[in-house]
Amino acid sequence: MGAGLVLLVLLAASVVLPARDPLLNICMDAKHHKSKPGPEGKLHDQCSPWKDYACCTANTSSEAHKDQSNLYNFNWNHCGVMPPKCKRHFIQDTCLYECSPNLGPWIDQVDSTWRRERILHVPLCKEDCEEWWEDCRDSVTCKENWHKGWNWATGTNRCPWGSMCRPFSEVFPRPRDLCEKIWSNSYKYTSERRGSGRCIQMWFDPAQGNPNVVVAKYYAWKKRSSPAGMEDVAPESDQAVCALQWSVLVLLPLALVLIPEVAQGQWIPWVGVPLTVS
């Protein structure tokens, strides 16, 4: 009787406890990311919304706010001083990239000397992209793609020889151009709005919870259900319908053999009724 009861407990636990999703609550394998997310106690200024569960350290969050930080030796002021209203969006972009544990569905392998993974086609909320573009439209830059093509002769990024500094509104005529082109398609412009559960927010109030948790769950489910990303379907009741875990398939036949060992009238606590064997 004892062996059968123990096995039934294990079987029930296998059904009730969900398997860990490899696309959720993870950090990228990149230059400054932690190996796994966790509480930081305190993160600097704009990175603070992620302090309870972050992929960045306090030092990384502090460096993210500097004009020319030690993170990548990247200088925002390559065409003169970037206005604060524009710069705050680039700081927030850096905080999201370095600190968020909710970018798993968009992590992609990359062959690089300084990182093994990057993000690709993260669906950015409409407001986040359009406000970024609006606040930066009068700022000045010399390049469309900031990931590559800089002059690094001095150890920091400078405009390539022959390039001209122009307003963002000329380099990036539309919000879509800014969000998708500036970091080699790390982001994807969408018509989805904040709070929809279908787009990643760079900006959110941590007192209201992190809205990107639900978004990551949805796209992780969608990626499992339709790897090609072609089917626009929603999980029943917004919950992923998972296949039976391997442990259930292993334990079930043995449980069926040992169930008769459980005495008639024994109370099975997780069922809530006496089990009788005819």
Side-chain angles (χ1 to χ4, degrees):
M1 181 177 72
L5 194 57
V6 169
L7 189 57
L8 285 175
V9 171
L10 293 175
L11 182 60
S14 298
V15 174
V16 173
L17 297 177
R20 179 184 178 277
D21 193 319
L23 296 178
L24 300 177
N25 301 314
I26 59 172
C27 302
M28 273 179 280
D29 185 355
K31 189 173 183 179
H32 301 289
H33 290 72
K34 292 156 52 175
S35 59
K36 60 182 180 180
E40 278 300 312
K42 184 177 182 180
L43 293 180
H44 188 67
D45 200 7
Q46 288 181 220
C47 294
S48 61
W50 289 275
K51 67 181 178 64
D52 292 333
Y53 201 59
C55 285
C56 64
T57 63
N59 181 66
T60 296
S61 73
S62 178
E63 290 290 331
H65 290 73
K66 297 180 180 179
D67 286 343
Q68 185 173 331
S69 76
N70 292 324
L71 295 181
Y72 306 102
N73 291 326
F74 195 91
N75 183 15
W76 305 122
N77 302 321
H78 52 268
C79 275
V81 178
M82 180 182 284
K85 71 174 184 177
C86 175
K87 188 180 300 178
R88 71 188 188 98
H89 291 279
F90 284 96
I91 293 173
Q92 199 69 12
D93 159 50
T94 304
C95 288
L96 175 69
Y97 171 79
E98 299 289 350
C99 302
S100 178
N102 308 122
L103 300 175
W106 304 280
I107 290 178
D108 195 45
Q109 301 297 310
V110 64
D111 183 14
S112 173
T113 57
W114 56 277
R115 62 178 180 178
R116 295 181 179 178
E117 294 177 334
R118 61 164 294 188
I119 50 174
L120 187 65
H121 300 146
V122 175
L124 200 60
C125 291
K126 180 182 177 71
E127 298 94 330
D128 289 66
C129 183
E130 294 187 349
E131 290 173 11
W132 189 357
W133 183 83
E134 186 64 37
D135 286 346
C136 290
R137 62 182 303 168
D138 296 326
S139 298
V140 183
T141 186
C142 57
K143 279 181 52 55
E144 181 183 73
N145 187 334
W146 288 16
H147 256 156
K148 56 186 180 181
W150 296 98
N151 178 354
W152 290 95
T154 61
T156 189
N157 60 302
R158 299 178 67 182
C159 292
W161 180 258
S163 63
M164 295 179 58
C165 292
R166 297 180 293 149
F168 268 52
S169 57
E170 292 183 13
V171 179
F172 308 106
R174 304 170 300 166
R176 178 191 298 270
D177 297 318
L178 170 63
C179 297
E180 295 187 352
K181 294 179 179 180
I182 198 164
W183 297 128
S184 305
N185 296 302
S186 291
Y187 296 120
K188 181 176 72 173
Y189 177 84
T190 75
S191 59
E192 302 289 354
R193 295 187 174 273
R194 293 171 182 165
S196 66
R198 299 294 183 266
C199 61
I200 290 293
Q201 294 182 209
M202 286 203 300
W203 302 88
F204 62 90
D205 180 3
Q208 304 298 319
N210 185 342
N212 296 329
V213 172
V214 172
V215 180
K217 287 181 179 179
Y218 169 74
Y219 282 98
W221 174 86
K222 189 174 181 181
K223 190 169 186 177
R224 289 193 304 269
S225 303
S226 177
M230 298 299 291
E231 298 179 17
D232 188 15
V233 291
E236 182 179 356
S237 301
D238 282 336
Q239 297 294 322
V241 180
C242 300
L244 285 176
Q245 298 177 43
W246 69 269
S247 55
V248 176
L249 300 177
V250 171
L251 292 173
L252 184 58
L254 189 56
L256 293 175
V257 172
L258 293 177
I259 280 177
E261 292 186 9
V262 182
Q264 286 189 346
Q266 276 290 317
W267 187 265
I268 307 300
W270 61 86
V271 177
V273 295
L275 177 66
T276 58
V277 181
S278 301

